[in-house]
Amino acid sequence: MHSGRSHVELQQRVPTYHDPWARREAWRKHPIFSKTANFRAMFPGLGIASVAFVAYCGFEHFFLKDSKHH
């Protein structure tokens, strides 16, 4: 069962530092826990509401002109 490689070549592939807890800590690096994902989750409708508000303000400014202002 010799694969043709020396033991030095096989040892070089193995990382010098093996963290036994790496699999348990992998969730911390998942993209769902990034700062931008957390910010979007805090204000889920902020983008849509902002666009709707700007569209309404533009509509009111250009199409609902009233000659009587307070």
Side-chain angles (χ1 to χ4, degrees), residues 13-69:
R13 273 215 227 147
V14 177
T16 55
Y17 175 73
H18 177 69
D19 185 9
W21 294 98
R23 285 180 49 202
R24 295 191 183 267
E25 296 291 322
W27 66 271
R28 295 179 191 268
K29 294 177 179 63
H30 196 276
I32 201 168
F33 296 108
S34 68
K35 289 184 180 181
T36 56
N38 286 336
F39 183 74
R40 287 182 187 160
M42 283 179 13
F43 307 109
L46 183 63
I48 294 171
S50 300
V51 170
F53 180 70
V54 168
Y56 173 76
C57 289
F59 177 77
E60 184 180 25
H61 179 73
F62 291 112
F63 296 109
L64 298 179
K65 293 195 177 214
D66 191 11
S67 61
K68 298 181 253 176
H69 285 283

